């Protein structure tokens, strides 16, 4: 039997790194700009090279404008002094070549750098999401989460590209053009600087005022993605109830909201662009009139007029492009902020830094005075206490909602009791004080609702032990009585089982889950209706396999059919979150109580061949569900 100390779980430095990264990500939830800078800072040299390349390219472009001005000024005397013309021409050629060279070098480096940033973002966000509690995932649509992970990475990629190729070049061009004009007229340069600065500040302020529109659009777009994934993943149910038209109508309402918010977002951007177009037209016209006035007074050469005219148009186009880029950036940053605020919420079950690994010495389990309630609901467990000796097989029975599945969930630390509301321990170690990885490696579970990945049978069976050999996998399949299934498939263990295992029947998925538990070989085994999806013939065969699997392990099982628990050491009866009866199966069957009532009822049904759902007549069960099963 394997212990519970995997390398990652037992390495304090790994846990410490994971904890620091999680806290850092939470810190950036409402700081999108700093979040971007965090990932830029992971590759400072590559980003610096891209930045310097852009600065050099813009400098060469502006330098070529100044070189053209010199060429024009040299033309009148050029026929008598051709060397000056040739020199001016060569300078322009060199600057144009350098301009293109720097652009291409920056672009080449940016391809790898910007794409690598998106990979970092996706990895870190995915890793952060994986450590959220089960309750977090039950409150958010999976499609929405997946959409926002991609939206965050794509937003950062778009922002980097927009800054590098759309915002930064015109900004540098405008500033450089103003500097060059300053060599002709410092007063003109100062006026341009003040007017451009004021215009940029007004546009930025107006852009920030539209942030709520952009965030509303981002939220509505994510909702549409979540609805699409939800419907597609439940397509069998949709067709079963002939609900295609109803779902189309429902999606239409979501799309209507999304299109309305998108239109409001985009229309606001167009208003800003219109305002900027009028402002730059007035600015460029005034600049051209000013330089012509200087020329009439002999304070500017013909080359100066050409230079200022070309730079004026550069400023016109540059400020226009800059305004468009800044407005677009506002929209993308708003989308990034919305996605980050949704994903980077504080985790309600944060793992402490440097926690030790669970050391399973004897695999005994203790629930110590547990009081637990799901958010917004009444307590499911009420001062619940239970001790399970190592190697003991314990069955949990009780009406639906009594707290059986909650007991298994707390044992796996899918949820955690509040401070002061009791504790769960294994081998005397409180579960909140050990690493989650080591705890999960100590427990194997065969659930009622089997979830398989859209991967091969081999990948699914050895999910708990990725390093297992194919021979070990086949041996586990043989123990779980599913070796014939493997051999009957065309590709054997290489067969892809479909989304959530839809290419297999319910009983086949159950056997694969049992084989997975065999292969994991953990000291603690949890069974949640492990044979519920099997027919009577298969159940008998699987029960023999489960008997072998339970040998030498601490077992906690939930079962609706009490006959499957007759070989267990103890039966624990739970009602209204409290332990109301406890003892060996034979002992409880002779003692008046819930267990004996249900057992007699099931025996009479089995004797008459009636397989209808159980209806417990005992007065104690009148207010509870009749079945001994409970939703997870």
């Amino acid at each position: 039997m394997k212990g519970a100390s995997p390398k990652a779980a037992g390495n304090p430095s790994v846990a410490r790194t994971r904890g620091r990264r999680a806290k850092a990500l939470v810190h950036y939830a409402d700081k999108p700009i700093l979040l971007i800078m965090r990932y830029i800072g992971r590759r400072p040299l590559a980003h610096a090279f891209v930045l310097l390349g852009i600065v050099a390219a813009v400098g060469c472009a502006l330098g070529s404008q100044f070189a053209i001005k010199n060429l024009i000024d040299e033309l009148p005397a050029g026929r008598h002094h051709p060397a000056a013309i040739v020199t001016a021409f060569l300078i322009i050629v060199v600057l144009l070549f350098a301009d293109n060279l720097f652009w291409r070098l920056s672009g080449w480096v940016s391809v790898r750098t910007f794409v690598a940033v998106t990979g970092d973002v996706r990895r870190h966000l995915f890793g952060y999401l994986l450590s959220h509690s089960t309750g977090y995932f039950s409150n958010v649509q999976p499609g929405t989460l997946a959409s926002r992970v991609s939206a965050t990475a794509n937003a950062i990629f778009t922002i980097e590209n927009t800054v590098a190729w759309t915002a930064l070049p015109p900004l540098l061009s405008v500033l450089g053009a103003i500097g060059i004009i300053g060599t002709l007229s410092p007063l003109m340069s100062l006026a341009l600087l003040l007017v451009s600065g004021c215009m940029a500040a007004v546009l930025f302020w107006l852009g920030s005022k539209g942030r709520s529109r952009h965030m509303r659009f981002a939220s509505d777009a994510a909702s549409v993605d979540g609805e699409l994934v939800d419907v597609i993943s439940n397509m069998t149910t949709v067709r079963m109830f002939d609900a295609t038209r109803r779902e189309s109508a429902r999606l239409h309402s979501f799309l209507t909201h999304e299109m309305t918010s998108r239109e409001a977002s985009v229309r606001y951007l167009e208003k800003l662009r219109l305002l900027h177009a009028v402002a730059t037209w007035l600015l460029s016209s005034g600049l051209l009139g000013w330089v012509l006035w200087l020329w009439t007074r002999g304070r500017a050469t013909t080359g100066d007029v050409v230079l200022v005219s070309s730079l004026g148009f550069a400023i016109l186009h540059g400020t226009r492009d800059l305004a468009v880029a800044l407005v677009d950036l506002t929209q993308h940053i708003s989308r990034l902020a919305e996605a980050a605020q949704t994903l980077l919420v504080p985790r309600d079950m944060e793992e402490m830094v440097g926690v030790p690994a669970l050391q399973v010495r004897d695999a005994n389990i203790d629930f110590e005075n547990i009081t637990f309630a799901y958010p917004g609901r009444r307590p499911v467990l009420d001062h619940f206490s239970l001790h399970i000796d190592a190697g003991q097989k314990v069955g949990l029975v009780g009406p639906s909602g009594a707290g059986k599945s909650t007991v298994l969930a707390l044992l796996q630390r899918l949820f955690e009791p509040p401070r002061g509301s009791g504790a769960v321990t294994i081998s005397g170690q409180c579960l909140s004080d050990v690493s989650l990885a080591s705890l999960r490696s100590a427990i194997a579970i065969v659930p009622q609702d089997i979830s398989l990945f859209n991967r091969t049978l081999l990948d699914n069976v050895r999910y708990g032990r990725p390093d297992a050999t194919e021979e070990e996998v086949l041996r586990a399949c043989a123990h779980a009585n599913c070796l014939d299934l493997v051999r009957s498939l065309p590709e054997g263990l290489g067969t892809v089982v479909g989304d959530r295992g839809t290419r297999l029947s319910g009983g086949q998925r159950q056997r694969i889950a049992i084989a997975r538990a065999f292969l994991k070989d953990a000291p603690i085994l949890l069974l949640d209706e492990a044979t519920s999806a099997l027919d009577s013939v298969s159940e008998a065969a699987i029960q023999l396999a489960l008997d072998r699997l339970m040998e030498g392990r601490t077992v906690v099982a939930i079962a609706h059919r009490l006959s499957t628990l007759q070989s267990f050491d103890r039966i624990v009866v739970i009602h209204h979150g409290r332990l109301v009866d406890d003892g060996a199966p034979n002992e409880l069957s002779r003692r008046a109580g819930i267990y004996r009532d249900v057992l007699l009822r099931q025996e009479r049904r089995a004797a008459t061949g009636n397989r209808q759902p159980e209806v417990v007549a005992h007065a104690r069960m009148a207010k509870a569900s009749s079945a001994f099963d409970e939703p997870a």
Side-chain angles (χ1 to χ4, degrees):
M1 188 184 306
K2 292 187 177 296
S5 56
K7 293 181 180 179
N11 190 340
S13 64
V14 174
R16 192 175 299 114
T17 301
R18 187 186 301 117
R20 279 201 294 261
R21 179 178 296 166
K23 290 182 179 179
L25 287 175
V26 171
H27 177 71
Y28 294 113
D30 56 350
K31 301 178 179 67
I33 302 297
L34 293 180
L35 179 64
I36 296 170
M37 297 305 299
R38 165 187 168 86
Y39 286 100
I40 290 176
R42 291 177 60 87
R43 290 175 169 78
L45 294 180
H47 282 93
F49 185 91
V50 174
L51 174 63
L52 292 176
I54 293 172
V55 171
V58 172
C60 291
L62 292 172
S64 64
Q65 296 286 334
F66 199 83
I68 291 174
K69 177 258 184 191
N70 290 333
L71 177 62
I72 293 174
D73 287 338
E74 294 291 342
L75 286 178
R79 291 185 179 88
H80 304 289
H81 302 285
I85 300 295
V86 173
T87 300
F89 169 74
L90 292 176
I91 291 174
I92 293 173
V93 170
V94 171
L95 288 174
L96 291 175
F97 174 79
D99 179 12
N100 285 281
L101 177 64
F102 285 126
W103 280 123
R104 297 286 63 79
L105 287 175
S106 297
W108 190 269
V109 174
S110 72
V111 169
R112 181 179 181 86
T113 305
F114 295 173
V115 170
V117 167
T118 64
D120 292 342
V121 173
R122 289 174 191 257
R123 279 193 298 270
H124 293 172
L125 289 179
F126 180 67
Y128 185 76
L129 283 178
L130 287 181
S131 297
H132 270 299
S133 68
T134 304
Y136 173 82
F137 293 101
S138 64
N139 294 325
V140 186
Q141 288 180 315
T144 300
L145 290 178
S147 172
R148 283 188 167 103
V149 170
S150 296
T152 304
N154 292 335
I156 291 180
F157 180 78
T158 303
I159 289 169
E160 282 206 285
N161 277 282
T162 301
V163 169
W165 315 122
T166 310
L168 189 57
L171 174 63
L172 295 174
S173 296
V174 169
L175 294 177
I178 292 174
I180 292 175
I181 290 175
T183 61
L184 172 65
S185 172
L187 182 60
M188 185 184 297
S189 177
L190 180 61
L192 281 173
L193 187 61
L194 290 175
V195 172
S196 299
C198 291
M199 187 166 61
V202 170
L203 286 172
F204 187 79
W205 177 75
L206 291 174
S208 64
K209 296 286 286 184
R211 182 180 179 184
S212 61
R213 294 177 175 86
H214 309 320
M215 293 190 69
R216 191 180 307 115
F217 161 55
S219 178
D220 289 345
S223 296
V224 170
D225 292 338
E227 284 296 315
L228 286 171
V229 173
D230 190 37
V231 173
I232 292 172
S233 61
N234 290 282
M235 189 55 68
T236 301
T237 304
V238 172
R239 290 176 176 171
M240 185 186 304
F241 290 92
D242 192 25
T244 52
R245 291 184 179 180
R246 189 164 69 245
E247 291 299 336
S248 296
R250 175 183 170 86
L251 181 63
H252 176 73
S253 66
F254 278 90
L255 286 173
T256 300
H257 285 296
E258 190 263 353
M259 289 187 294
T260 301
S261 59
R262 181 193 288 263
E263 182 178 344
S265 174
V266 175
R267 192 176 299 281
Y268 189 82
L269 299 182
E270 284 302 319
K271 291 178 181 179
L272 293 183
R273 291 176 181 132
L274 177 61
L275 175 63
H276 175 264
V278 174
T280 52
W281 170 66
L282 293 174
L283 178 64
S284 299
S285 300
L287 181 62
L288 182 58
W290 194 343
V291 74
L292 286 173
W293 178 77
L294 292 176
W295 177 79
T296 59
R297 292 180 170 270
R299 293 165 56 184
T301 65
T302 303
D304 291 334
V305 174
V306 174
L307 175 64
V308 172
S309 299
S310 62
L311 291 178
F313 284 114
I315 293 173
L316 169 65
H317 294 297
T319 53
R320 181 187 63 199
D321 294 341
L322 180 59
V324 170
L326 289 177
V327 171
D328 287 344
L329 281 174
T330 301
Q331 189 179 48
H332 292 307
I333 290 174
S334 296
R335 293 176 183 174
L336 172 62
E338 192 276 337
Q341 288 172 7
T342 301
L343 296 171
L344 300 180
V345 297
R347 297 192 292 221
D348 52 6
M349 281 181 51
E350 190 67 68
E351 185 173 359
M352 293 186 299
V353 176
V355 291
L358 174 68
Q359 302 298 324
V360 182
R361 295 181 291 271
D362 48 12
N364 57 48
I365 299 170
D366 282 284
F367 290 83
E368 301 172 355
N369 199 30
I370 298 289
T371 298
F372 177 80
Y374 296 103
R377 294 167 59 183
R378 66 174 180 80
V380 181
L381 296 179
D382 183 16
H383 298 284
F384 178 82
S385 295
L386 174 66
H387 172 76
I388 301 175
D389 287 326
Q392 209 170 39
K393 297 188 288 292
V394 176
L396 303 181
V397 300
S400 178
K404 304 183 301 297
S405 291
T406 301
V407 169
L408 296 192
L410 292 176
L411 186 53
Q412 298 171 77
R413 205 183 162 202
L414 300 179
F415 300 95
E416 200 167 46
R419 289 185 178 275
S421 299
V424 185
T425 68
I426 295 178
S427 297
Q429 301 159 78
C430 183
L431 300 191
S432 60
D433 296 334
V434 299
S435 68
L436 282 171
S438 63
L439 170 64
R440 304 281 164 77
S441 69
I443 298 174
I445 180 169
V446 181
Q448 181 178 12
D449 182 21
I450 305 302
S451 179
L452 300 180
F453 292 94
N454 187 23
R455 304 173 189 173
T456 65
L457 268 178
L458 180 64
D459 291 333
N460 276 285
V461 174
R462 67 180 179 189
Y463 195 72
R465 271 188 61 199
D467 58 340
T469 65
E470 189 168 327
E471 290 183 2
E472 291 173 320
V473 171
L474 290 173
R475 193 179 306 121
C477 290
H479 290 325
N481 198 28
C482 62
L483 193 57
D484 290 341
L485 165 65
V486 175
R487 290 171 176 169
S488 68
L489 297 172
E491 299 179 37
L493 288 174
T495 302
V496 177
V497 300
D499 184 35
R500 297 182 61 84
T502 53
R503 296 180 183 176
L504 302 177
S505 69
Q508 289 171 337
R509 290 196 297 270
Q510 200 86 25
R511 299 182 193 195
I512 295 301
I514 294 172
R516 189 162 55 189
F518 264 112
L519 188 65
K520 189 174 183 180
D521 195 21
I524 297 174
L525 176 65
L526 307 183
L527 304 176
D528 187 359
E529 300 287 1
T531 61
S532 62
L534 301 175
D535 55 71
S536 58
V537 175
S538 297
E539 180 185 356
I542 292 302
Q543 194 60 53
L544 292 176
L546 286 175
D547 290 341
R548 292 195 300 268
L549 176 62
M550 291 186 289
E551 186 67 31
R553 291 176 171 82
T554 303
V555 180
V556 184
I558 297 174
H560 169 56
R561 288 192 288 270
L562 301 185
S563 58
T564 62
L565 302 177
Q566 295 309 299
S567 63
F568 276 46
D569 301 310
R570 291 166 61 193
I571 301 293
V572 173
V573 182
I574 305 175
H575 191 42
H576 293 314
R578 288 179 173 270
L579 194 156
V580 297
D581 212 348
D582 183 3
N586 291 336
E587 178 185 348
L588 293 184
S589 65
R590 295 190 299 268
R591 189 160 64 209
I594 296 174
Y595 179 84
R596 190 179 72 173
D597 293 338
V598 176
L599 182 62
L600 292 175
R601 187 79 175 184
Q602 290 185 357
E603 289 176 349
R604 285 197 296 267
R605 289 291 177 88
T608 59
N610 188 347
R611 297 303 182 185
Q612 297 299 318
E614 297 293 338
V615 180
V616 180
H618 196 277
R620 284 178 248 182
M621 304 293 286
K623 296 182 180 180
S625 172
S626 63
F628 269 7
D629 57 346
E630 174 185 13

